[in-house]
Coordinates of all heavy atoms in Angstrom, one line a residue:
M1 N 1.7 -13.8 19.3 CA 1.2 -13.2 18.0 C 0.9 -14.4 17.0 O 1.7 -15.3 16.9 CB 2.2 -12.3 17.4 CG 1.9 -11.8 16.0 SD 3.1 -10.7 15.3 CE 4.1 -11.8 14.4
K2 N -0.2 -14.4 16.4 CA -0.6 -15.4 15.4 C -0.5 -14.7 14.0 O -0.9 -13.6 13.9 CB -2.0 -15.9 15.7 CG -2.0 -16.8 16.9 CD -3.4 -17.4 17.1 CE -3.5 -18.2 18.3 NZ -4.8 -18.8 18.5
L3 N -0.1 -15.5 13.1 CA -0.1 -15.0 11.7 C -1.5 -15.2 11.1 O -2.1 -16.2 11.3 CB 0.9 -15.7 10.8 CG 2.4 -15.5 11.2 CD1 3.3 -16.4 10.4 CD2 2.8 -14.0 11.0
T4 N -2.0 -14.2 10.4 CA -3.3 -14.3 9.8 C -3.1 -14.9 8.4 O -2.0 -15.0 7.9 CB -4.0 -12.9 9.6 OG1 -3.2 -12.1 8.7 CG2 -4.1 -12.2 11.0
T5 N -4.2 -15.3 7.8 CA -4.2 -15.8 6.5 C -3.6 -14.8 5.5 O -2.8 -15.1 4.6 CB -5.6 -16.2 6.0 OG1 -6.1 -17.2 6.9 CG2 -5.6 -16.8 4.6
Q6 N -4.0 -13.5 5.7 CA -3.6 -12.5 4.8 C -2.1 -12.3 5.0 O -1.4 -12.1 4.0 CB -4.3 -11.2 5.1 CG -3.9 -10.0 4.2 CD -4.6 -8.7 4.6 OE1 -5.4 -8.7 5.6 NE2 -4.5 -7.7 3.8
E7 N -1.5 -12.3 6.2 CA -0.1 -12.2 6.4 C 0.7 -13.3 5.7 O 1.7 -13.1 5.1 CB 0.2 -12.1 7.9 CG -0.2 -10.8 8.6 CD -0.1 -10.9 10.1 OE1 -0.4 -11.9 10.6 OE2 0.2 -9.8 10.6
L8 N 0.2 -14.5 5.9 CA 0.8 -15.7 5.3 C 0.8 -15.6 3.8 O 1.8 -15.9 3.1 CB 0.2 -17.0 5.7 CG 0.6 -17.5 7.1 CD1 -0.2 -18.7 7.5 CD2 2.1 -17.8 7.1
E9 N -0.3 -15.1 3.2 CA -0.4 -15.0 1.8 C 0.6 -13.9 1.2 O 1.2 -14.1 0.2 CB -1.8 -14.6 1.3 CG -2.8 -15.8 1.4 CD -2.3 -17.0 0.6 OE1 -1.9 -16.8 -0.6 OE2 -2.4 -18.1 1.1
Q10 N 0.7 -12.8 2.0 CA 1.7 -11.8 1.6 C 3.1 -12.3 1.6 O 3.9 -12.1 0.7 CB 1.6 -10.6 2.5 CG 0.4 -9.7 2.3 CD 0.4 -8.6 3.3 OE1 0.6 -8.7 4.5 NE2 0.0 -7.4 2.8
M11 N 3.4 -13.1 2.7 CA 4.8 -13.7 2.8 C 5.0 -14.7 1.7 O 6.1 -14.8 1.1 CB 4.9 -14.4 4.1 CG 5.0 -13.5 5.3 SD 5.1 -14.4 6.8 CE 5.0 -13.1 8.0
R12 N 4.0 -15.5 1.4 CA 4.1 -16.5 0.3 C 4.2 -15.9 -1.0 O 4.9 -16.5 -1.9 CB 2.9 -17.4 0.4 CG 3.0 -18.7 -0.4 CD 1.9 -19.6 -0.1 NE 0.7 -19.2 -0.8 CZ -0.3 -20.1 -1.1 NH1 -0.1 -21.3 -0.9 NH2 -1.3 -19.6 -1.7
S13 N 3.7 -14.8 -1.3 CA 3.7 -14.2 -2.6 C 4.9 -13.4 -2.9 O 5.0 -12.8 -4.0 CB 2.4 -13.3 -2.8 OG 2.5 -12.1 -1.9
V14 N 5.9 -13.3 -2.0 CA 7.1 -12.6 -2.3 C 7.8 -13.1 -3.5 O 8.0 -14.3 -3.6 CB 8.0 -12.6 -1.1 CG1 9.4 -12.1 -1.4 CG2 7.4 -11.8 0.1
D15 N 8.2 -12.3 -4.4 CA 9.0 -12.7 -5.6 C 10.5 -12.7 -5.2 O 11.1 -11.7 -5.0 CB 8.8 -11.7 -6.7 CG 9.6 -12.0 -8.0 OD1 10.3 -13.0 -8.0 OD2 9.6 -11.1 -8.9
I16 N 11.0 -13.9 -5.0 CA 12.4 -14.1 -4.5 C 13.4 -13.5 -5.5 O 14.4 -13.0 -5.1 CB 12.7 -15.6 -4.2 CG1 14.0 -15.7 -3.4 CG2 12.8 -16.4 -5.5 CD1 13.9 -15.3 -2.0
G17 N 13.0 -13.4 -6.8 CA 13.9 -12.8 -7.8 C 14.1 -11.3 -7.6 O 15.0 -10.7 -8.0
A18 N 13.1 -10.7 -6.9 CA 13.1 -9.2 -6.7 C 13.7 -8.9 -5.4 O 13.8 -7.7 -5.0 CB 11.7 -8.7 -6.8
V19 N 14.2 -9.9 -4.6 CA 14.7 -9.6 -3.3 C 16.2 -9.9 -3.3 O 16.7 -10.9 -3.7 CB 14.0 -10.5 -2.2 CG1 14.6 -10.3 -0.8 CG2 12.5 -10.3 -2.2
A20 N 17.0 -8.9 -2.8 CA 18.4 -9.1 -2.7 C 18.7 -10.1 -1.6 O 18.2 -10.0 -0.5 CB 19.1 -7.8 -2.4
A21 N 19.5 -11.2 -1.9 CA 19.8 -12.2 -1.0 C 20.4 -11.7 0.3 O 20.1 -12.2 1.4 CB 20.8 -13.2 -1.6
E22 N 21.2 -10.6 0.2 CA 21.8 -10.1 1.4 C 20.8 -9.4 2.4 O 21.1 -9.1 3.5 CB 23.0 -9.1 1.1 CG 22.6 -7.9 0.3 CD 22.7 -8.2 -1.2 OE1 22.9 -9.3 -1.7 OE2 22.4 -7.2 -2.0
S23 N 19.6 -9.1 1.9 CA 18.6 -8.5 2.8 C 17.8 -9.6 3.5 O 17.0 -9.2 4.4 CB 17.7 -7.6 1.9 OG 16.8 -8.5 1.1
L24 N 18.0 -10.8 3.2 CA 17.3 -11.9 3.9 C 18.1 -12.5 5.0 O 19.3 -12.5 4.9 CB 17.0 -13.0 2.9 CG 16.1 -12.7 1.7 CD1 16.1 -13.8 0.6 CD2 14.7 -12.4 2.2
P25 N 17.5 -13.0 6.1 CA 18.2 -13.6 7.1 C 18.9 -14.9 6.7 O 18.3 -15.7 6.0 CB 17.2 -13.9 8.2 CG 15.8 -13.5 7.6 CD 16.0 -12.9 6.3
D26 N 20.2 -15.0 7.0 CA 20.9 -16.2 6.6 C 20.8 -17.3 7.7 O 21.1 -17.1 8.8 CB 22.4 -15.9 6.4 CG 23.1 -17.0 5.7 OD1 22.8 -18.2 5.9 OD2 24.1 -16.7 4.9
V27 N 20.2 -18.4 7.3 CA 20.0 -19.5 8.2 C 21.0 -20.7 8.1 O 20.8 -21.7 8.7 CB 18.5 -20.1 8.1 CG1 17.5 -19.0 8.4 CG2 18.3 -20.7 6.7
S28 N 22.1 -20.4 7.3 CA 23.0 -21.5 7.1 C 23.7 -22.0 8.4 O 24.0 -23.2 8.4 CB 24.1 -21.1 6.1 OG 24.7 -19.9 6.4
G29 N 23.8 -21.2 9.4 CA 24.4 -21.7 10.6 C 23.4 -22.0 11.7 O 23.7 -22.4 12.8
M30 N 22.1 -22.0 11.4 CA 21.1 -22.2 12.3 C 21.0 -23.7 12.7 O 21.1 -24.6 11.9 CB 19.7 -21.8 11.7 CG 18.6 -21.9 12.7 SD 17.1 -21.3 11.9 CE 16.5 -20.2 13.2
T31 N 20.9 -23.9 14.0 CA 20.7 -25.3 14.5 C 19.3 -25.3 15.2 O 18.8 -24.3 15.7 CB 21.8 -25.7 15.5 OG1 21.8 -24.8 16.6 CG2 23.2 -25.6 14.8
F32 N 18.9 -26.6 15.4 CA 17.6 -26.8 16.1 C 17.9 -27.6 17.3 O 18.5 -28.7 17.2 CB 16.6 -27.5 15.2 CG 16.1 -26.6 14.0 CD1 16.8 -26.6 12.8 CD2 15.1 -25.7 14.2 CE1 16.4 -25.8 11.8 CE2 14.7 -24.9 13.1 CZ 15.3 -24.9 11.9
D33 N 17.4 -27.1 18.4 CA 17.5 -27.9 19.7 C 16.4 -28.8 19.9 O 15.3 -28.4 20.2 CB 17.6 -26.8 20.8 CG 17.8 -27.5 22.2 OD1 17.8 -28.7 22.3 OD2 18.0 -26.7 23.2
N34 N 16.7 -30.1 19.6 CA 15.6 -31.1 19.7 C 15.1 -31.3 21.1 O 14.1 -32.1 21.3 CB 16.1 -32.4 19.1 CG 16.2 -32.3 17.6 OD1 15.4 -31.6 17.0 ND2 17.2 -33.0 17.0
A35 N 15.7 -30.7 22.1 CA 15.2 -30.8 23.5 C 14.0 -29.9 23.7 O 13.2 -30.1 24.6 CB 16.3 -30.4 24.5
L36 N 13.9 -28.9 22.8 CA 12.7 -28.0 22.8 C 11.5 -28.7 22.1 O 11.7 -29.5 21.3 CB 13.0 -26.7 22.1 CG 14.2 -25.9 22.6 CD1 14.5 -24.7 21.7 CD2 13.9 -25.4 24.0
S37 N 10.4 -28.2 22.5 CA 9.1 -28.7 21.9 C 9.1 -28.3 20.4 O 9.8 -27.3 20.0 CB 7.9 -28.2 22.6 OG 7.8 -26.8 22.3
R38 N 8.3 -28.9 19.6 CA 8.2 -28.6 18.2 C 7.7 -27.1 18.1 O 8.1 -26.4 17.2 CB 7.2 -29.6 17.6 CG 6.9 -29.3 16.1 CD 5.9 -30.3 15.6 NE 5.4 -30.0 14.3 CZ 4.4 -30.5 13.7 NH1 3.8 -31.5 14.3 NH2 4.0 -30.1 12.6
K39 N 6.7 -26.8 18.9 CA 6.2 -25.4 18.9 C 7.3 -24.4 19.1 O 7.3 -23.4 18.5 CB 5.1 -25.3 20.0 CG 4.4 -24.0 20.0 CD 3.3 -24.0 21.1 CE 2.7 -22.6 21.1 NZ 1.6 -22.6 22.1
E40 N 8.1 -24.7 20.1 CA 9.2 -23.7 20.4 C 10.2 -23.6 19.3 O 10.8 -22.6 19.0 CB 9.9 -24.1 21.8 CG 11.0 -23.1 22.2 CD 10.5 -21.7 22.5 OE1 9.3 -21.5 22.8 OE2 11.3 -20.8 22.3
R41 N 10.6 -24.8 18.7 CA 11.5 -24.8 17.6 C 11.0 -24.0 16.4 O 11.7 -23.2 15.8 CB 11.8 -26.2 17.1 CG 12.7 -27.0 18.1 CD 13.2 -28.3 17.5 NE 12.2 -29.1 16.9 CZ 11.6 -30.1 17.5 NH1 11.9 -30.4 18.8 NH2 10.7 -30.9 16.8
I42 N 9.7 -24.1 16.1 CA 9.1 -23.4 15.0 C 9.0 -21.9 15.4 O 9.3 -21.0 14.6 CB 7.7 -23.9 14.7 CG1 7.8 -25.3 14.0 CG2 6.9 -22.9 13.7 CD1 6.5 -26.0 13.7
S43 N 8.7 -21.6 16.6 CA 8.7 -20.2 17.1 C 10.0 -19.5 16.9 O 10.1 -18.4 16.4 CB 8.2 -20.2 18.5 OG 8.1 -18.8 19.0
R44 N 11.1 -20.2 17.3 CA 12.4 -19.7 17.2 C 12.8 -19.5 15.7 O 13.5 -18.5 15.4 CB 13.4 -20.5 17.9 CG 13.3 -20.4 19.4 CD 14.4 -21.2 20.1 NE 14.2 -21.0 21.6 CZ 15.1 -21.3 22.5 NH1 16.3 -21.8 22.1 NH2 14.9 -21.1 23.8
F45 N 12.4 -20.4 14.9 CA 12.7 -20.3 13.5 C 12.0 -19.0 12.9 O 12.6 -18.2 12.2 CB 12.3 -21.5 12.7 CG 12.4 -21.4 11.2 CD1 13.7 -21.6 10.7 CD2 11.4 -21.2 10.4 CE1 13.9 -21.5 9.3 CE2 11.6 -21.2 9.0 CZ 12.8 -21.3 8.5
L46 N 10.8 -18.8 13.3 CA 10.0 -17.7 12.8 C 10.6 -16.4 13.3 O 10.6 -15.4 12.6 CB 8.5 -17.8 13.2 CG 7.8 -18.8 12.4 CD1 6.4 -19.0 13.0 CD2 7.7 -18.5 10.9
Q47 N 11.1 -16.4 14.6 CA 11.7 -15.2 15.1 C 13.0 -14.8 14.3 O 13.3 -13.6 14.1 CB 12.1 -15.4 16.6 CG 10.9 -15.4 17.5 CD 11.3 -15.8 18.9 OE1 12.4 -16.2 19.2 NE2 10.3 -15.7 19.8
T48 N 13.7 -15.8 13.8 CA 14.9 -15.6 13.1 C 14.6 -15.1 11.6 O 15.2 -14.2 11.1 CB 15.8 -16.8 13.0 OG1 16.1 -17.2 14.4 CG2 17.0 -16.6 12.2
V49 N 13.7 -15.9 10.9 CA 13.5 -15.6 9.5 C 12.5 -14.6 9.2 O 12.5 -14.0 8.1 CB 13.2 -16.9 8.7 CG1 14.4 -17.9 8.8 CG2 11.9 -17.5 9.1
K50 N 11.6 -14.3 10.1 CA 10.4 -13.4 9.9 C 9.5 -13.9 8.8 O 8.3 -13.9 9.0 CB 10.9 -12.0 9.6 CG 11.9 -11.4 10.5 CD 11.4 -11.2 11.9 CE 12.4 -10.5 12.7 NZ 12.8 -11.2 13.9
N51 N 10.0 -14.3 7.7 CA 9.1 -14.9 6.6 C 9.5 -16.3 6.4 O 10.6 -16.6 6.0 CB 9.3 -14.1 5.3 CG 8.4 -14.6 4.2 OD1 7.9 -15.7 4.2 ND2 8.3 -13.8 3.2
P52 N 8.6 -17.3 6.8 CA 9.0 -18.7 6.7 C 9.2 -19.2 5.3 O 9.6 -20.3 5.1 CB 7.9 -19.4 7.4 CG 6.7 -18.5 7.3 CD 7.3 -17.1 7.3
Y53 N 8.8 -18.4 4.3 CA 8.9 -18.8 2.9 C 10.1 -18.3 2.2 O 10.5 -18.9 1.2 CB 7.6 -18.3 2.1 CG 6.4 -18.9 2.6 CD1 5.5 -18.2 3.4 CD2 6.0 -20.2 2.2 CE1 4.3 -18.8 3.9 CE2 4.8 -20.7 2.6 CZ 4.0 -20.0 3.5 OH 2.8 -20.6 3.9
C54 N 10.8 -17.3 2.7 CA 11.9 -16.7 2.1 C 13.0 -16.4 3.1 O 12.8 -15.7 4.1 CB 11.6 -15.4 1.4 SG 10.4 -15.5 0.1
F55 N 14.2 -16.9 2.8 CA 15.4 -16.7 3.6 C 16.6 -17.0 2.8 O 16.5 -17.3 1.6 CB 15.4 -17.5 4.9 CG 14.9 -18.9 4.7 CD1 15.9 -19.9 4.4 CD2 13.6 -19.3 4.8 CE1 15.5 -21.2 4.2 CE2 13.2 -20.6 4.6 CZ 14.2 -21.6 4.3
C56 N 17.8 -16.8 3.4 CA 19.0 -17.0 2.7 C 19.8 -18.2 3.3 O 19.8 -18.4 4.5 CB 19.8 -15.7 2.8 SG 21.4 -15.7 2.0
I57 N 20.5 -18.9 2.4 CA 21.4 -20.0 2.9 C 22.7 -19.8 2.1 O 22.8 -19.9 0.9 CB 20.8 -21.4 2.6 CG1 19.5 -21.6 3.3 CG2 21.8 -22.5 3.0 CD1 18.8 -22.9 3.0
G58 N 23.7 -19.4 2.9 CA 25.0 -19.2 2.3 C 25.1 -18.2 1.2 O 25.8 -18.4 0.2
G59 N 24.3 -17.1 1.3 CA 24.4 -16.1 0.3 C 23.4 -16.3 -0.9 O 23.4 -15.5 -1.8
V60 N 22.6 -17.3 -0.8 CA 21.7 -17.6 -1.9 C 20.2 -17.5 -1.4 O 19.9 -18.1 -0.3 CB 21.9 -19.1 -2.4 CG1 20.8 -19.4 -3.5 CG2 23.3 -19.2 -3.0
G61 N 19.4 -16.7 -2.0 CA 18.0 -16.5 -1.6 C 17.3 -17.8 -1.9 O 17.4 -18.4 -3.0
V62 N 16.5 -18.2 -0.9 CA 15.7 -19.4 -1.1 C 14.2 -19.1 -0.8 O 13.9 -18.4 0.1 CB 16.2 -20.5 0.0 CG1 15.3 -21.7 0.0 CG2 17.6 -20.8 -0.2
K63 N 13.4 -19.7 -1.6 CA 11.9 -19.6 -1.4 C 11.4 -21.0 -1.3 O 11.6 -21.8 -2.2 CB 11.3 -18.8 -2.5 CG 9.7 -18.7 -2.3 CD 9.1 -17.7 -3.2 CE 7.6 -17.6 -2.8 NZ 6.9 -16.7 -3.7
I64 N 10.6 -21.2 -0.2 CA 10.0 -22.5 0.0 C 8.6 -22.4 -0.5 O 7.8 -21.5 -0.3 CB 9.9 -22.8 1.5 CG1 11.3 -22.8 2.1 CG2 9.2 -24.1 1.8 CD1 12.2 -23.9 1.6
E65 N 8.2 -23.4 -1.3 CA 6.8 -23.5 -1.8 C 6.3 -24.9 -1.6 O 7.1 -25.9 -1.6 CB 6.8 -23.2 -3.3 CG 7.2 -21.7 -3.6 CD 7.0 -21.4 -5.1 OE1 6.6 -22.2 -5.9 OE2 7.4 -20.2 -5.4
F66 N 5.0 -25.0 -1.4 CA 4.4 -26.2 -1.1 C 3.3 -26.5 -2.2 O 2.6 -25.5 -2.6 CB 3.7 -26.3 0.3 CG 4.7 -26.1 1.4 CD1 4.9 -24.8 1.9 CD2 5.4 -27.1 1.9 CE1 5.9 -24.6 2.9 CE2 6.4 -26.9 2.9 CZ 6.6 -25.7 3.4
A67 N 3.1 -27.7 -2.6 CA 2.1 -28.0 -3.6 C 0.7 -27.8 -2.9 O 0.5 -28.1 -1.7 CB 2.2 -29.4 -4.0
E68 N -0.2 -27.2 -3.7 CA -1.6 -27.0 -3.1 C -2.2 -28.3 -2.7 O -3.0 -28.4 -1.8 CB -2.5 -26.4 -4.2 CG -2.1 -24.9 -4.5 CD -2.3 -24.0 -3.4 OE1 -3.2 -24.2 -2.6 OE2 -1.5 -23.0 -3.3
S69 N -1.9 -29.4 -3.3 CA -2.5 -30.7 -3.0 C -1.7 -31.4 -1.9 O -2.0 -32.5 -1.5 CB -2.5 -31.6 -4.3 OG -1.2 -31.8 -4.8
G70 N -0.6 -30.8 -1.5 CA 0.3 -31.5 -0.5 C -0.3 -31.3 0.9 O -1.3 -30.7 1.2
P71 N 0.5 -31.9 1.9 CA 0.1 -31.8 3.3 C 0.0 -30.3 3.7 O 0.8 -29.5 3.3 CB 1.1 -32.5 4.1 CG 2.0 -33.2 3.0 CD 1.7 -32.6 1.7
S72 N -1.0 -30.0 4.5 CA -1.1 -28.6 5.0 C -0.7 -28.4 6.5 O -1.0 -27.4 7.1 CB -2.6 -28.1 4.8 OG -3.4 -29.0 5.6
E73 N -0.1 -29.4 7.0 CA 0.3 -29.4 8.4 C 1.1 -28.2 8.8 O 0.8 -27.5 9.8 CB 1.0 -30.7 8.8 CG 1.6 -30.7 10.2 CD 2.4 -32.0 10.5 OE1 2.5 -32.8 9.6 OE2 2.9 -32.0 11.6
Y74 N 2.1 -27.9 8.1 CA 3.0 -26.8 8.4 C 2.3 -25.4 8.2 O 2.5 -24.5 8.9 CB 4.3 -26.9 7.7 CG 5.1 -28.1 8.2 CD1 5.3 -29.2 7.3 CD2 5.6 -28.2 9.4 CE1 5.9 -30.3 7.7 CE2 6.3 -29.3 9.9 CZ 6.5 -30.3 9.0 OH 7.1 -31.5 9.4
Y75 N 1.6 -25.3 7.1 CA 0.9 -24.1 6.8 C -0.1 -23.7 7.9 O -0.1 -22.6 8.4 CB 0.1 -24.3 5.4 CG -0.5 -23.0 4.9 CD1 0.2 -22.0 4.3 CD2 -1.9 -22.8 5.1 CE1 -0.4 -20.9 3.8 CE2 -2.5 -21.6 4.6 CZ -1.7 -20.7 4.0 OH -2.3 -19.5 3.5
G76 N -0.8 -24.7 8.4 CA -1.7 -24.5 9.5 C -1.0 -24.2 10.8 O -1.5 -23.4 11.6
Y77 N 0.2 -24.7 10.9 CA 0.9 -24.6 12.2 C 1.4 -23.1 12.3 O 1.5 -22.6 13.4 CB 2.1 -25.5 12.2 CG 2.5 -25.9 13.5 CD1 1.8 -26.8 14.3 CD2 3.7 -25.4 14.1 CE1 2.1 -27.2 15.6 CE2 4.1 -25.8 15.4 CZ 3.3 -26.7 16.1 OH 3.7 -27.1 17.4
F78 N 1.7 -22.4 11.2 CA 2.1 -21.0 11.3 C 1.0 -20.1 11.9 O 1.3 -19.1 12.4 CB 2.5 -20.5 9.9 CG 3.8 -21.1 9.4 CD1 3.8 -21.4 8.1 CD2 4.9 -21.3 10.2 CE1 5.0 -22.0 7.5 CE2 6.0 -21.9 9.7 CZ 6.1 -22.2 8.4
Y79 N -0.3 -20.6 11.7 CA -1.3 -19.8 12.3 C -1.3 -19.8 13.8 O -1.7 -18.8 14.5 CB -2.7 -20.3 11.9 CG -3.0 -20.1 10.4 CD1 -3.2 -21.1 9.6 CD2 -3.2 -18.8 10.0 CE1 -3.6 -20.9 8.2 CE2 -3.5 -18.5 8.6 CZ -3.7 -19.6 7.8 OH -4.0 -19.4 6.5
T80 N -0.9 -20.9 14.4 CA -1.0 -21.1 15.8 C 0.3 -21.0 16.5 O 0.4 -20.8 17.8 CB -1.6 -22.4 16.2 OG1 -0.8 -23.5 15.6 CG2 -3.0 -22.5 15.6
T81 N 1.4 -21.0 15.8 CA 2.8 -21.0 16.5 C 3.6 -19.9 15.9 O 4.2 -20.0 14.9 CB 3.5 -22.3 16.2 OG1 2.6 -23.4 16.5 CG2 4.8 -22.4 17.0
C82 N 3.5 -18.7 16.6 CA 4.3 -17.6 16.2 C 4.9 -16.9 17.4 O 4.3 -17.0 18.5 CB 3.4 -16.6 15.4 SG 2.6 -17.4 14.0
P83 N 6.0 -16.2 17.2 CA 6.6 -15.5 18.3 C 5.7 -14.4 18.8 O 4.9 -13.8 18.0 CB 7.9 -14.9 17.7 CG 7.7 -14.9 16.2 CD 6.7 -16.0 15.9
D84 N 5.7 -14.1 20.1 CA 5.0 -13.0 20.6 C 5.6 -11.7 20.4 O 6.8 -11.6 20.3 CB 4.8 -13.2 22.1 CG 3.8 -14.4 22.4 OD1 2.9 -14.6 21.6 OD2 4.0 -15.0 23.4

């Protein structure tokens, strides 16, 4: 499954203040297996968090934002690397 531009925009537009932290997946204990490929690590992360922009760390809701003028490497990677 690939994420569409529309799906990414919907995920990115979530108002973290309107989301209860306990409803978000908690990634505080998540580890990354560096023996896996980058694609597989990102795929596993997406399977866990569902929304790569909003998740919880230790009971605190977190929203990741990127500057429009910043690198677009990860944004583009979500289009091609998603769980099936």
